Amino acid sequence: MSKNSRELLQQIKKEIRETNVQDVNERIKTDSNTAVLDVREKEEWDEGHLPNAIHVPRGFLELRVEKAVDDRNKPVIVYCAGGTRSAFAAKTLKDMGYTNVVSMAGGYGDWKNAGLPFVLPEKLSKNKLARYSRHLKIPEIGEAGQLKLMQSKVLLVGAGGLGSPAGVYLAASGIGTIGIIDSDTVDESNLQRQILHWTSSVGMPKVDSARRTLFEVNPEVKVQTYNLRMDASNVLDIFKDYDVIISGSDNFQTAYLVNDAAVMLRKPVCYGSIFRFDGQISTFVPFQGPCFRCIFSHPAPPDLAPSCDEAGVMGILPGVVGLIQATEAVKVLLNIGEPLIGRYLAYDALAMTFRTLKVRRDPNCATCGANAHIDLNAIQADGCSGPTS
Ligand SMILES: [Zn+2]
């Protein structure tokens, strides 16, 4: 026999558990393990919501809830405006196998009337809604993700072949602050691949040339420049302000310095290297996966690790590698997808193949192993002119 909506709601309410706003307030204060799901529409969410709530509109519940709450035994509180939609949502979650779900009776209306704390979501201004509209359409990014990117700080170690494409796309993506370390000036031989720098930039400090380009790409981005040679005396002071470090290196000393400083400060490093037609990329998140030194415990002999100046590089190669590093940086910042943690990606442009090698932490690693002892001053400086090619 078919039911009208009132009869259906009455039946649903018999099958689910409900709680009141005061109880929810007590629970979220004392139990951080409970997931709070807001199943209202976006316009309602934008008017304010419970602290730490996750927004999954009712219409997308079945599609998105597993991403929001992956453990079906985790306690879940569902709420809407008045307690009706959340009752239906609670029934759906129960049917999907969630074992510990309650619906907040009275909903956000009762919550606000009781004077309980709520947060107003930060919102993008109208011009930013337009600029980042293609990000906003992606559920994994959306407005919250874009706001996160705009609050993020990414450091480019070097404004060269890898830093160039990474910097341009990260600026376009709306990263809030991009830091750039480089002590070089732009040379004509850079222009074949270092797209931050233009013909008119030859002779300029690379950091100034980079700042000019990034401003043209996106004037909203704050560009912080460091026209200096990175060493043990300054690396920690610079790194400490950033969320992610993008680094490529054609010499082992810089790679070790970046790695060891990043492990000390627990900063993720999106690493890339290039050689003629070959690129290598990995993402080093300290203590979650191997670090650079876990994989390369000793520097290769200089004749096996020539710089781009010596070996040459196809101009387009760093574009591919630098953009994979930038992609990894966005994933790490937004905590989406599967970054290259514990994986080493090898790109062969001539064969047009990508191979992934599994890499593991070295328990005896001098940087992140059980008996690690990091001494930045012991990393020998070399005579190379810049950290990236
Ligand atoms: Zn290590």
Side-chain angles (χ1 to χ4, degrees):
M1 195 181 77
S2 63
K3 299 182 180 70
N4 64 31
S5 62
R6 176 191 284 253
E7 290 164 343
L8 186 59
L9 179 62
Q10 280 173 347
Q11 188 193 325
I12 293 270
K13 286 205 173 188
K14 283 182 200 153
E15 296 178 40
I16 60 153
R17 288 191 297 133
E18 284 188 301
T19 186
N20 62 40
V21 296
Q22 297 295 352
D23 180 53
V24 170
N25 187 40
E26 286 306 313
R27 274 182 68 176
I28 59 178
K29 270 197 288 193
T30 54
D31 178 12
S32 59
N33 186 41
T34 298
V36 181
L37 284 188
D38 184 324
V39 296
R40 297 174 301 161
E41 298 303 310
K42 184 180 180 304
E43 298 72 30
E44 300 173 279
W45 165 267
D46 286 346
E47 297 291 315
H49 56 79
L50 268 64
N52 299 320
I54 306 166
H55 184 217
V56 184
R58 174 75 189 93
F60 292 99
L61 187 65
E62 294 87 339
L63 296 172
R64 296 189 188 160
V65 69
E66 284 165 313
K67 186 104 181 162
V69 185
D70 57 358
D71 178 1
R72 281 174 156 72
N73 293 317
K74 193 179 168 108
V76 179
I77 295 168
V78 199
Y79 75 91
C80 61
T84 301
R85 281 173 288 171
S86 63
F88 285 107
K91 171 74 165 76
T92 302
L93 292 175
K94 197 179 161 196
D95 291 345
M96 288 177 75
Y98 285 84
T99 59
N100 190 351
V101 183
V102 292
S103 168
M104 186 171 86
Y108 188 65
D110 270 13
W111 181 271
K112 273 197 89 176
N113 289 337
L116 295 170
F118 63 94
V119 288
L120 283 170
E122 254 192 287
K123 291 183 71 176
L124 290 169
S125 63
K126 205 172 172 189
N127 71 326
K128 292 197 178 76
L129 285 173
R131 181 182 273 268
Y132 303 117
S133 62
R134 299 306 185 273
H135 271 169
L136 305 182
K137 291 172 199 278
I138 306 176
E140 287 83 352
I141 302 181
E143 194 164 5
Q146 188 61 48
L147 284 160
K148 182 88 204 298
L149 293 180
M150 289 162 59
Q151 289 154 4
S152 298
K153 296 179 170 186
V154 176
L155 180 68
L156 306 176
V157 178
L162 300 171
S164 281
V168 169
Y169 269 94
L170 289 172
S173 298
I175 297 294
T177 302
I178 295 180
I180 307 169
I181 311 178
D182 205 306
S183 60
D184 273 354
T185 53
V186 180
D187 183 82
E188 201 162 6
S189 67
N190 302 147
L191 303 178
Q192 164 248 25
R193 65 197 178 283
Q194 300 183 11
I195 59 165
L196 274 173
H197 314 301
W198 310 332
T199 306
S200 60
S201 314
V202 171
M204 278 173 82
K206 280 191 175 176
V207 289
D208 293 343
S209 164
R211 180 202 297 280
R212 178 175 72 171
T213 305
L214 296 183
F215 181 82
E216 286 293 332
V217 171
N218 190 348
E220 308 274 352
V221 176
K222 184 180 173 202
V223 178
Q224 181 79 47
T225 58
Y226 307 88
N227 189 356
L228 48 78
R229 192 152 167 70
M230 191 177 67
D231 60 28
S233 72
N234 55 32
V235 63
L236 294 175
D237 207 38
I238 298 171
F239 277 22
K240 71 174 171 25
D241 292 330
Y242 291 89
D243 302 307
V244 174
I245 290 144
I246 294 199
S247 169
S249 176
D250 61 0
N251 70 75
F252 271 85
Q253 284 75 15
T254 307
Y256 286 142
L257 186 64
V258 168
N259 181 69
D260 290 9
V263 170
M264 284 176 84
L265 297 169
R266 297 183 176 242
K267 304 282 184 183
V269 176
C270 303
Y271 170 82
S273 78
I274 47 176
F275 175 79
R276 294 186 176 162
F277 294 97
D278 295 320
Q280 299 182 346
I281 310 103
S282 193
T283 297
F284 302 123
V285 179
F287 308 106
Q288 284 187 30
C291 75
F292 180 78
R293 209 186 278 272
C294 288
I295 305 170
F296 301 103
S297 57
H298 299 289
D303 54 326
L304 288 180
S307 70
C308 285
D309 294 350
E310 295 154 3
V313 59
M314 183 183 68
I316 300 161
L317 178 77
V320 174
V321 174
L323 292 187
I324 294 174
Q325 291 174 270
T327 306
E328 289 288 291
V330 168
K331 285 162 58 185
V332 168
L333 289 170
L334 297 181
N335 195 21
I336 57 174
E338 290 171 31
L340 285 168
I341 300 169
R343 291 184 292 153
Y344 204 80
L345 182 66
Y347 167 53
D348 179 339
L350 284 181
M352 197 47 79
T353 54
F354 289 87
R355 284 188 307 133
T356 308
L357 308 167
K358 273 210 166 120
V359 282
R360 291 194 172 80
R361 283 187 71 187
D362 173 4
N364 299 313
C365 173
T367 303
C368 75
N371 300 308
H373 175 71
I374 302 175
D375 181 0
L376 298 179
N377 287 298
I379 300 169
Q380 296 292 314
D382 67 357
C384 296
S385 60
T388 64
S389 289

